[in-house]
Amino acid sequence: GDNECPAEAANLQMTSKYGSGMGVKWDGYSGVHSADLVPELMAFGGAKQERLNKEIGDVRARIYRSHLNCTVFPNN
């Protein structure tokens, strides 16, 4: 896990009383949270997001460069 994630980067994390939950980290690719690590990927994503902004709007396009996760529990 990301046990040192700064609170301002977490954006949204919730868990229901039954264990299901979701988390959102806006404006950061999954696994690529530093432009220094993979500059080509970040440049590609930035260019694609500009195109998506025009095609589907800023709000929907923001999802493209964000990390979203969820858990469904119990799964029996």
Side-chain angles (χ1 to χ4, degrees), residues 6-44:
E8 64 274 6
N11 294 142
L12 172 69
Q13 186 71 43
M14 67 70 96
T15 305
S16 74
K17 67 181 183 177
Y18 300 108
S20 297
M22 67 171 287
V24 178
K25 187 178 284 190
W26 293 112
D27 306 316
Y29 287 118
S30 172
V32 183
H33 301 295
S34 172
D36 296 334
L37 297 176
V38 188
E40 296 87 7
L41 180 60
M42 297 301 281
F44 169 80

Side-chain angles (χ1 to χ4, degrees), residues 26 28-29 41 44-46 48-49 52 56 59-68:
W26 293 112
Y29 287 118
L41 180 60
F44 169 80
K48 184 162 184 176
Q49 184 165 5
L52 289 173
I56 62 175
V59 174
R60 291 183 190 155
R62 190 174 185 199
I63 294 170
Y64 173 74
R65 288 188 66 178
S66 298
H67 175 83
L68 293 93

